[in-house]
Amino acid sequence: MELFLQTLIDGALIGGLIIVVGVGFSLCFGVMHIVDFAVGEWVMLGAYAAYWLVRYLGQDPMVYLPLIFALFFAAGWLVYPLIYRAVSGRRHHPALMGLVFTFGLSTLAKGGALSAWGYHVRSVSTWLSGQSVSLGVTTLPALRLAGFVFGVLTTVLFMIFLYGTRLGVSIRATAQDRETAALLGVDVRRVGALVYATYAGLTGMTGVLIGALFSIHAAMGAKYVIFAFFVVVLAGMGYVPGVIVAGLLLGLIQSFVGVYISGRYTLFALFLLMYLSLLVAPRGILRRGL
């Protein structure tokens, strides 16, 4: 029973962090209809940014979260016009063009990281590393708990922004019907840039926590591309609230399969569930996606 409870808590804590990646990825698809293959590379670059800031400037990596959000927000804002150019105009398959463009972006980022930093595996420590909190018969690793709190708080604040502000209404209107939103006076290009920049900023910040939890290397992004796809497919394409359920489910599957079966079968279990979801409930487990 103790092992079951510990596995349950570990899964929920990891799922909370993945939610942040999924929210940005889902919104990016909902507003711009782009499947961003570069999501894992934003995570990887966020982790590397924390590593190099700590190495050259010192301090705890958590101190740099606002700075990394600002840097990645600016990078996302600068990249968006290129994506917009790739998917707009009289192109026959804009979604496919977006997919190809972001795949190229991902390859460029990964290749650049390999050229600059090689295959060396790095790690970054925080003041929470190695600490834990006891809760009855279970133990909560402090860093995973911090990641979970970060994920939940970020998601809640983002949902308040999305559903409680005028700009959030514009973003949701653009996600529902881009042409109608434009006719009603919404600057859909500016909304797209804001969404992509926010998504890049949030994902970069998540990379700091993931880098502190696990190892940092140039190929680490591939796993998070799969996780983002899993979360968005299960949540329903473009349905942001469903990401919370799907992210927690992902964390639990990872944890239970790793403990009770074998870590080698985690990706198999995720792909199997994703395939069944597309077969049985293509609009997501809550049936609210596109």
Side-chain angles (χ1 to χ4, degrees):
M1 190 59 186
E2 289 179 19
L3 179 62
F4 177 83
L5 288 174
Q6 187 65 55
T7 308
L8 186 70
I9 287 174
D10 285 346
L13 294 181
I14 289 296
L17 192 55
I18 298 298
I19 287 171
V20 184
V21 179
V23 164
F25 189 78
S26 178
L27 197 62
C28 187
F29 175 81
V31 171
M32 299 184 295
H33 297 171
I34 292 172
V35 177
D36 188 3
F37 251 107
V39 58
E41 272 49 64
W42 288 117
V43 172
M44 178 267 291
L45 291 172
Y48 267 114
Y51 172 82
W52 290 115
L53 283 169
V54 170
R55 178 161 180 177
Y56 287 108
L57 301 179
Q59 308 296 328
D60 193 273
M62 301 296 181
V63 172
Y64 297 114
L65 284 174
L67 174 62
I68 287 175
F69 175 81
L71 289 173
F72 278 73
F73 183 95
W77 189 275
L78 292 174
V79 166
Y80 177 74
L82 303 176
I83 298 177
Y84 184 82
R85 183 179 175 80
V87 302
S88 60
R90 296 179 177 275
R91 303 186 192 284
H92 294 295
H93 303 289
L96 183 61
M97 291 301 296
L99 194 70
V100 171
F101 181 86
T102 57
F103 181 75
L105 196 63
S106 165
T107 306
L108 182 67
K110 189 187 299 178
L114 279 171
S115 301
W117 304 311
Y119 290 91
H120 302 294
V121 176
R122 296 174 170 88
S123 62
V124 61
S125 298
T126 81
W127 65 277
L128 293 169
S129 300
Q131 298 194 44
S132 60
V133 178
S134 293
L135 184 67
V137 295
T138 60
T139 302
L140 280 64
L143 189 53
R144 290 193 180 197
L145 181 61
F148 177 81
V149 172
F150 165 80
V152 171
L153 274 179
T154 305
T155 305
V156 168
L157 289 174
F158 193 64
M159 296 296 283
I160 291 172
F161 164 72
L162 208 55
Y163 286 86
T165 66
R166 188 179 176 86
L167 187 54
V169 171
S170 299
I171 292 172
R172 288 190 293 122
T174 307
Q176 288 174 5
D177 192 323
R178 192 180 180 90
E179 284 73 25
T180 304
L183 288 173
L184 290 172
V186 176
D187 186 345
V188 293
R189 182 169 179 173
R190 181 171 170 270
V191 166
L194 181 67
V195 166
Y196 195 80
T198 306
Y199 148 73
L202 289 176
T203 310
M205 274 205 305
T206 308
V208 177
L209 289 156
I210 289 175
L213 274 169
F214 308 107
S215 55
I216 302 170
H217 53 91
M220 65 184 282
K223 184 167 71 172
Y224 296 99
V225 175
I226 295 171
F227 287 175
F229 269 98
F230 175 87
V231 168
V232 171
V233 167
L234 252 67
M237 299 293 275
Y239 183 57
V240 175
V243 170
I244 298 170
V245 178
L248 289 174
L249 187 59
L250 183 147
L252 293 174
I253 291 172
Q254 254 197 306
S255 186
F256 276 98
V257 171
V259 171
Y260 287 100
I261 303 176
S262 169
R264 291 182 300 170
Y265 297 108
T266 303
L267 288 180
F268 173 74
L270 294 179
F271 277 122
L272 182 63
L273 187 58
M274 189 161 65
Y275 174 73
L276 290 175
S277 173
L278 285 170
L279 201 64
V280 179
R283 294 183 64 200
I285 52 178
L286 301 178
R287 300 179 184 279
R288 299 290 298 273
L290 297 175

